[in-house]
Amino acid sequence: MLVVVASVSGAPGVSTAALGLAALWPSRPGLLVEADPCGGVVAARFGVRQEPGLAALAAAARHGLPSGGPAQFVQSLPLGVHAVVGPGAAETAAGAVSVLAAQPEAVAGLAPVVVVDAGRLYPGSPAHGLLRRVDALVLVTAGGTEHLDHVDTRLAALRASMRTRGVGLAVAGKTRYTSEEISSRLGVPVWTHLPSDRWGAAGLCGRMSGPAWTRTRLAQALRALAAALAARARPAPRAVLEVVR
C-alpha cells in the first residue's frame, strides 16, 4: 500500500504526520520515505546520517533497483520505524524525487506499506508523479478559512493526477468548522483531526525519547487514521462480494 502525506500550503505538520502514520501502522510499522522536494528534516531531527537515503536510492533506481532491495538505503529511527531519509539540500532532494516519482510502482514496491512524506504539493512539484500509483492521499491542512481555500483550489488538479479518488483531509489544530461542514464545502472527507499536542509532536520530532509519545493525543489520532487507512486496503469479505455479485 502506498500512502502519500502532503500539504498544499504552509507547514501544518506533514513530516510529523507521515512519520507517526508509519510508526503506528497496524501489525507492523510502515516504511517512511521522505520525498519532500524542498529537503528532508528527519536526519537532522533524529541525529542520523543523510546517506544512505533518498539520493542513493534514486541513483540506484536510474539503473533498476539492485536485487538486494531497499535495505541498503534504509535507516532505523529511534521510534522503531525504518526510513529512507531525504537530503537536506533542496536541489539534491528535488532531483531524487523527480527520479523516483517517474517510477511510482517501484516506490510502492519498496515495502508492504510505504508512507511518503511529499512535503508541499505545489504546482509543478516533482512529487506529483507518485500520485499515479497512490492508494491514499492524506492532505494535512490547518483549519482556517484561508488554508481550506488553498485546498479547495488545488483538489481538482490533484485528483486528476490520481488513479483513485482516495483523498482525505487531516485537519491540524483548532478550527471553527465541523468535519461535516468542511467535507460539504470541499467534497472530500475529513479523515482525522490532529490536535495541537506538544508532547506528541516532541516525540515525532526527536525531542523526546521513549515510548511515552505513543500515549499522547496526537499519537491516538494518528493510530486511528492508520487503522482506517489499513482497513481501506483490505479486500471485502467473501460474503459481501457474493452479495454484490
Side-chain angles (χ1 to χ4, degrees), residues 87-178:
E91 295 83 357
T92 306
V97 173
S98 296
V99 171
L100 294 171
Q103 307 178 51
E105 292 289 345
V107 176
L110 291 173
V113 176
V114 178
V115 180
V116 174
D117 170 5
R120 185 166 64 89
L121 284 174
Y122 54 86
S125 167
H128 274 274
L130 294 169
L131 300 184
R132 300 198 308 271
R133 173 56 183 80
V134 72
D135 296 294
L137 171 62
V138 180
L139 289 177
V140 184
T141 179
T145 302
E146 68 274 26
H147 301 288
L148 297 175
D149 281 348
H150 286 151
V151 174
D152 194 20
T153 62
R154 294 284 291 125
L155 274 173
L158 294 176
R159 281 173 160 165
S161 302
M162 297 173 62
R163 66 166 193 167
T164 74
R165 298 187 70 81
V167 55
L169 304 182
V171 180
K174 295 181 179 180
T175 178
R176 62 190 181 93
Y177 302 108
T178 66

Side-chain angles (χ1 to χ4, degrees), residues 35-57:
D36 185 344
C38 294
V41 297
V42 168
R45 287 179 176 178
F46 289 93
V48 300
R49 296 173 299 161
Q50 293 184 13
E51 292 296 342
L54 193 79
L57 176 63

Side-chain angles (χ1 to χ4, degrees), residues 202-229:
L204 290 168
C205 292
R207 298 194 302 269
M208 182 175 74
S209 60
W213 74 272
T214 63
R215 299 189 291 272
T216 63
R217 292 182 299 123
L218 178 58
Q220 291 172 9
L222 289 170
R223 184 182 289 109
L225 175 58
L229 292 174

Side-chain angles (χ1 to χ4, degrees), residues 8 10 28 44 70 106 140 155 157 181 187 191 242:
V8 297
R28 59 178 174 177
V140 184
L155 274 173
E181 288 172 332
W191 281 341
E242 289 176 349

